């Protein structure tokens, strides 16, 4: 697995009818594939998230969308950022992502996290539980999912999940990469050290050194070489035509949200990401472009500009 430059699609409000919605998603994925991105990712949510839009705005189901993107692309990896563990039985999730791997020709990555959006759970009748409950459930799920992705038939009897000799065929590859996403230095990073190939870190840019130190510590506590887990960072990007347009955009963003935003011309954004993220020790970038990523050519510009940062 190598997730060095990912393009996340978190927004499906394009000012088009529903008939043009998914073709716009496909166009972005194809631009990403052609311009140097190695992974395209979609959110695993049922409602649009606060801070991006209102709950009634369009939100595609994650794995149906990824399966369709598998047929519309040929080389780019496909993942969620990230699957909410609470939404699916873990054995069924292992089967789902393995099927995605088969139909995509070996391009699936399992991105997974504990789940957090309470309203979705309440509205859909999915048990939410406490913060601690959700991490216990995630650890139990990973004890089932990761062996199934390797072709093993686990038997597991946990507090939340139970499987008996759970089989997972057909499979295309010996294993499928696992990526955890989040910022929790104690719980999330510990599970990443135990189970993951990759950690996507979501935090304010100034917190990156502390997060990397915490991840290294969790790896050492688990008896794992910290260098054996890849890292990437989720950045919110606005590529503007000029500096004035970028400044106008930032003026509309609440101050507490600006620490995860990179805005400017393509070259300015690249400089910011290099200084604040890559030079801080993160191995890869995942970017989304909520405002204008769906505009033809914007993803291409981002890929061609950012690819040199990650080799």
């Amino acid at each position: 697995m190598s997730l060095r430059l990912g393009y996340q699609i978190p927004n499906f409000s394009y000012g088009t009818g529903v008939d043009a919605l998914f073709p716009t998603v496909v166009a972005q994925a194809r631009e990403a594939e052609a311009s140097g991105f190695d992974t395209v990712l979609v959110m695993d949510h049922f409602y649009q998230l606060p801070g991006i839009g209102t709950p009634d705005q369009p939100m595609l189901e994650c794995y149906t969308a990824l399966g369709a993107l598998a047929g519309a692309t040929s080389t780019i990896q496909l993942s969620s950022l990230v699957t909410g563990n609470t939404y699916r039985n873990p054995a069924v999730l292992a089967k789902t992502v393995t099927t995605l791997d088969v139909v995509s020709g070996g391009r699936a990555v399992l991105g997974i996290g504990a789940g957090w959006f309470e309203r979705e759970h309440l509205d859909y009748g999915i048990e939410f539980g406490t913060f601690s409950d959700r991490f216990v459930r995630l650890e139990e799920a990973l004890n089932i999912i990761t062996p199934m992705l390797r072709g093993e038939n686990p038997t597991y009897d946990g507090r939340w999940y139970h499987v008996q000799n759970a089989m997972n065929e057909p499979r295309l590859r010996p294993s499928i990469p696992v990526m955890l996403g989040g910022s929790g230095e104690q719980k999330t990073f510990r599970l990443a050290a135990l189970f993951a190939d990759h950690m996507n870190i979501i935090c304010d840019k100034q917190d990156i050194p502390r997060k990397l130190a915490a991840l290294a510590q969790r790896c050492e506590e688990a008896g794992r070489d910290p260098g054996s887990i890849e890292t990437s960072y989720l950045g919110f990007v606005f590529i503007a035509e000029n500096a004035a347009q970028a400044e106008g955009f930032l003026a509309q963003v609440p101050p507490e949200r600006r620490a995860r935003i990179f805005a400017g011309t393509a070259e300015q954004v690249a400089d910011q990401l290099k200084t604040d993220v890559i030079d801080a020790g993160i191995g890869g970038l995942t970017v989304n472009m909520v405002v204008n990523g769906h505009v033809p050519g914007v993803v291409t510009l981002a890929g061609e500009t950012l690819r040199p940062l990650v080799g």
Side-chain angles (χ1 to χ4, degrees):
M1 173 192 184
S2 179
L3 202 168
R4 301 282 287 168
L5 186 60
Y7 177 62
Q8 186 206 33
I9 304 175
N11 177 33
F12 303 108
S13 296
Y14 303 134
T16 67
V18 175
D19 59 333
L21 191 160
F22 194 68
T24 304
V25 174
V26 169
Q28 292 173 76
R30 287 175 171 166
E31 278 197 36
E33 184 173 63
S35 62
F37 287 94
D38 54 51
T39 311
V40 64
L41 311 97
V42 298
M43 296 200 301
D44 185 28
H45 286 288
F46 308 121
Y47 294 170
Q48 183 54 274
L49 300 187
I52 297 179
T54 57
D56 60 327
Q57 289 181 326
M59 180 55 59
L60 297 177
E61 193 280 321
C62 171
Y63 282 98
T64 308
L66 289 173
L69 286 175
T73 57
S74 58
T75 60
I76 201 162
Q77 295 179 124
L78 302 166
S79 184
S80 61
L81 188 59
V82 285
T83 306
N85 175 64
T86 47
Y87 298 141
R88 297 170 186 82
N89 171 280
V92 172
L93 177 58
K95 170 64 78 172
T96 300
V97 74
T98 302
T99 299
L100 176 64
D101 200 55
V102 171
V103 302
S104 67
R107 294 186 281 135
V109 175
L110 173 60
I112 191 167
W116 63 270
F117 194 0
E118 185 175 12
R119 178 170 176 177
E120 290 178 330
H121 293 76
L122 296 177
D123 286 8
Y124 275 56
I126 301 169
E127 185 170 3
F128 188 58
T130 67
F131 179 81
S132 295
D133 285 343
R134 294 195 297 280
F135 278 92
V136 171
R137 292 175 69 173
L138 178 58
E139 184 164 3
E140 288 191 11
L142 288 166
N143 273 291
I144 295 168
I145 294 167
T146 53
M148 289 182 70
L149 296 183
R150 296 191 298 264
E152 300 170 17
N153 302 346
T155 293
Y156 186 85
D157 187 19
R159 174 185 169 193
W160 295 94
Y161 303 120
H162 313 271
V163 294
Q164 178 68 41
N165 194 39
M167 295 181 285
N168 187 27
E169 297 295 340
R171 294 180 309 110
L172 184 65
R173 295 187 283 172
S175 188
I176 293 172
V178 175
M179 171 180 67
L180 262 67
S183 61
E185 298 177 15
Q186 299 298 323
K187 297 179 183 293
T188 302
F189 289 3
R190 182 182 74 85
L191 294 179
L194 292 173
F195 294 101
D197 303 286
H198 189 102
M199 181 69 222
N200 182 266
I201 297 173
I202 303 171
C203 67
D204 292 349
K205 63 190 78 172
Q206 65 268 21
D207 294 333
I208 290 173
R210 190 184 81 242
K211 299 296 182 182
L212 289 174
L215 178 60
Q217 185 175 352
R218 299 292 88 76
C219 286
E220 291 167 0
E221 292 165 356
R224 178 176 181 175
D225 175 7
S228 69
I229 185 168
E230 291 187 0
T231 58
S232 58
Y233 176 82
L234 177 62
F236 298 78
V237 165
F238 176 64
I239 293 182
E241 295 180 4
N242 50 58
Q245 187 184 39
E247 291 170 3
F249 164 74
L250 286 172
Q252 301 175 53
V253 177
E256 66 273 12
R257 293 179 58 85
R258 294 177 191 169
R260 301 183 188 185
I261 292 176
F262 302 82
T265 65
E267 292 74 17
Q268 289 171 334
V269 167
D271 288 344
Q272 294 168 29
L273 286 166
K274 180 181 185 302
T275 299
D276 294 334
V277 180
I278 300 301
D279 290 351
I282 294 284
L285 300 169
T286 296
V287 301
N288 62 40
M289 293 184 283
V290 174
V291 175
N292 61 353
H294 63 284
V295 175
V298 172
V299 174
T300 297
L301 178 59
E304 292 174 348
T305 306
L306 299 181
R307 185 69 207 182
L309 301 183
V310 294

